Amino acid sequence: MATTTDEPLPLHELISRILAPEPSFQKPKGLLAGLGTMQALNQRLANQPLLDFINATLRGISQVIFVNNPLSGLLILAAMFIQSPWLGGMSLVGTASATLMAIVLKANPGAIQNGIFGLNGMLVGAAMAFFGAFGNGAWNPVWAIAVIILSALTAVVMETVGTWFATRFRVAPLGIPFNGVMLPFLLLLAFVPQPFFDLGPPPPPFPAGAIDGFRLVQSLPIGLAQVFFSDKLVSVGLVLLGVAICTPIGAVVGLLGCAMYLLAGLLLGAKPDQLYTGLWGYNAALTATAIGGVF
């Protein structure tokens, strides 16, 4: 995948070696034929725009957890719809909007196809669904319109600031567009009076109590699913399966990250419900997956 000129490597070339291994390394046999990043599928769909758009959108959903597989994305999308149709719908709209904007910008086709642009749109959609549900309530069209605009903006940020960041520091700017778009938006909502968006009241504090060992063990994989704002049992199982069919080691190290967060929470005296809901776990799961399963 090396370029043949002296120009700085484009964004996709810098990230693809991490998130989209070369097809020559993806030759599983038998029951394992669906594993890996399915790069052969990208080649088959290169001249089929609609199917390729669906493929890129699903990959963008799975890329949030360092997974590059459309089947994984489909399972994770199903998990979010089971958790909440509002969450699933907003996440899908966000991913599709970012992917479409990248196409309009004529960004690197490989980066689009492997979901590099869609992942920030998915994060915007999921986050906006979360804040919108606690504020104006689910299915409010104002939040949906904002998702379309902000998700498309993440593609612009990825193509401009992300490319500069990647070429200058040789580090994948995976979540920079999401933070660069969402943080200013939320600050505006918090400090500028406006009649359209309501963030709702602050959540009540978690109650104190004794640790229930059985519930603690049950909550182990929830941190992995909280990456996608999900904690229902079926949703947790689908997220774990989605990761595992692409990268079994990624699923294992993600669960190890969840275990480490539980241990750290116990040592720091976290309240039980904070641990049971996995709210401390998603960052630990992402960190473990990034370090142990990707980088």
Side-chain angles (χ1 to χ4, degrees), residues 106-261:
K106 297 182 179 180
N108 185 283
I112 298 172
Q113 198 175 48
N114 284 292
I116 302 300
F117 288 90
L119 74 92
N120 285 282
M122 209 267 4
L123 285 171
V124 168
M128 294 286 279
F130 177 81
F131 289 114
F134 282 97
N136 300 76
W139 305 110
N140 189 293
V142 174
W143 287 89
I145 293 171
V147 164
I148 295 173
I149 296 172
L150 294 176
S151 297
L153 186 57
T154 64
V156 178
V157 175
M158 177 64 90
E159 181 69 358
T160 53
V161 178
T163 299
W164 174 84
F165 189 89
T167 54
R168 184 175 179 84
F169 299 107
R170 295 297 191 269
V171 176
L174 298 180
I176 289 177
F178 165 71
N179 287 285
V181 167
M182 281 301 300
L183 290 179
F185 177 76
L186 293 175
L187 287 173
L188 284 174
L189 297 191
F191 295 107
V192 177
Q194 46 78 35
F196 304 106
F197 299 95
D198 180 10
L199 293 177
F206 286 96
I211 294 291
D212 184 329
F214 181 70
R215 289 187 65 189
L216 195 66
V217 173
Q218 277 187 319
S219 70
L220 177 64
I222 293 179
L224 206 63
Q226 282 287 15
V227 174
F228 301 96
F229 296 81
S230 300
D231 61 2
K232 290 184 178 179
L233 181 61
V234 176
S235 299
V236 172
L238 287 174
V239 170
L240 185 58
L241 178 61
V243 176
I245 66 170
C246 178
T247 165
I249 191 174
V252 171
V253 297
L255 290 175
L256 287 175
C258 292
M260 291 301 100
Y261 108 79

Side-chain angles (χ1 to χ4, degrees), residues 6 39 42 45 52 56 60-61 78 85 89 124-125 139 163 175 180 182 206 232 248-249 286 288-289:
D6 294 329
Q39 292 298 294
N42 282 350
L45 298 180
D52 198 32
I61 293 171
V124 168
W139 305 110
T163 299
M182 281 301 300
F206 286 96
K232 290 184 178 179
I249 191 174
L286 284 172
T289 304

Side-chain angles (χ1 to χ4, degrees), residues 22-134:
E22 295 285 353
S24 58
F25 293 102
Q26 305 298 323
K27 295 180 179 179
K29 303 294 183 181
L31 294 176
L32 298 180
L35 298 182
T37 62
M38 297 180 65
Q39 292 298 294
L41 179 64
N42 282 350
Q43 298 173 10
R44 295 192 192 99
L45 298 180
N47 297 316
Q48 302 181 57
L50 178 58
L51 293 178
D52 198 32
F53 176 76
I54 295 172
N55 170 54
T57 299
L58 293 175
R59 287 179 186 271
I61 293 171
S62 66
Q63 286 282 23
V64 172
I65 200 166
F66 304 104
V67 169
N68 182 4
N69 186 301
L71 296 180
S72 300
L74 184 61
L75 289 171
I76 292 169
L77 181 63
M80 288 189 288
F81 268 103
I82 290 172
Q83 179 70 27
S84 162
W86 167 248
L87 172 66
M90 290 279 275
S91 300
L92 180 59
V93 167
T95 314
S97 298
T99 304
L100 184 60
M101 176 56 73
I103 295 173
V104 171
L105 293 173
K106 297 182 179 180
N108 185 283
I112 298 172
Q113 198 175 48
N114 284 292
I116 302 300
F117 288 90
L119 74 92
N120 285 282
M122 209 267 4
L123 285 171
V124 168
M128 294 286 279
F130 177 81
F131 289 114
F134 282 97

